[in-house]
Amino acid sequence: MTHYRVFDTAIGACGIAWSERGLTRLQLPEAHRGATEQRLRSKAARPSETAPAAIDQVITNIQFYMTGQSFDFASVAIDLTDVDPFEQKVYEAARCVPWGHTVSYGELARQTGSPGAARAVGQALSRNPVPVIIPCHRILAKGHRIGGFSAPGGIFTKERLLALEGVRVETGTPLLPGFV
């Protein structure tokens, strides 16, 4: 049984879902709060006004992160029950990329023992159920280019998350007010 909760951040309403084993989903902001909740509701069993203390702490840390404060989410328990072994390796490797740093899809492929599987790494990251916790936004295309991003807002959101961490990638997208 999974539960979810929607909460406010500096960049909009995010949502989190969890099971007894850990996080199952992190939803980045959609166009409006109702859309964020609808996306979570389609993946989680029921809403919850309260959450275990560990989940409340993750929510607080995400709220701080969204204001540009550094957090290491490596110790957050994630329930990857339905994730295949290759994706699990990719997610583990991505979790090792620290705040403010990036690696390429090709480098992540090498780190997982699958050189030449950059495209497969990108596909695995496109299915990342908990962006930010598994920091897929820190994985870039060859030549330090932005690459893709499947979360709401696409590469615009990826660029914003990188900007929170002080990473600049040339895409020509104007920054949001409040983000330097």
Side-chain angles (χ1 to χ4, degrees), residues 11 28-29 137 149 151-162:
I11 68 166
L28 294 174
H137 62 282
F149 199 60
I155 62 171
F156 180 79
T157 298
K158 184 174 185 172
E159 186 180 15
R160 297 292 100 36
L161 293 174
L162 289 169

Side-chain angles (χ1 to χ4, degrees), residues 6-71:
V6 176
F7 56 96
D8 293 320
T9 73
I11 68 166
C14 289
I16 195 168
W18 67 93
S19 72
E20 64 279 350
R21 291 184 294 277
L23 294 183
T24 58
R25 192 150 210 64
L26 175 65
Q27 182 63 46
L28 294 174
E30 292 277 351
H32 55 83
R33 186 182 192 91
T36 301
E37 183 167 4
Q38 182 177 359
R39 178 86 61 144
L40 270 175
R41 196 174 29 243
S42 72
K43 303 286 184 184
R46 60 180 156 167
S48 179
E49 291 298 317
T50 61
I55 298 298
D56 279 337
Q57 187 60 58
V58 171
I59 290 170
T60 298
N61 292 345
I62 290 168
Q63 289 170 321
F64 284 126
Y65 172 88
M66 295 300 182
T67 66
Q69 296 182 46
S70 175
F71 273 92

Side-chain angles (χ1 to χ4, degrees), residues 82-103:
D82 297 328
V83 174
D84 74 47
F86 176 75
E87 288 178 344
Q88 287 185 21
K89 282 173 121 178
V90 170
Y91 297 160
E92 285 174 28
R95 285 186 93 178
C96 293
V97 179
W99 166 277
H101 292 83
T102 62
V103 299

Side-chain angles (χ1 to χ4, degrees), residues 2-3 17 59-60 114 132 151 154 157 177:
T2 58
H3 304 271
I59 290 170
T60 298
S114 302
V132 175
T157 298

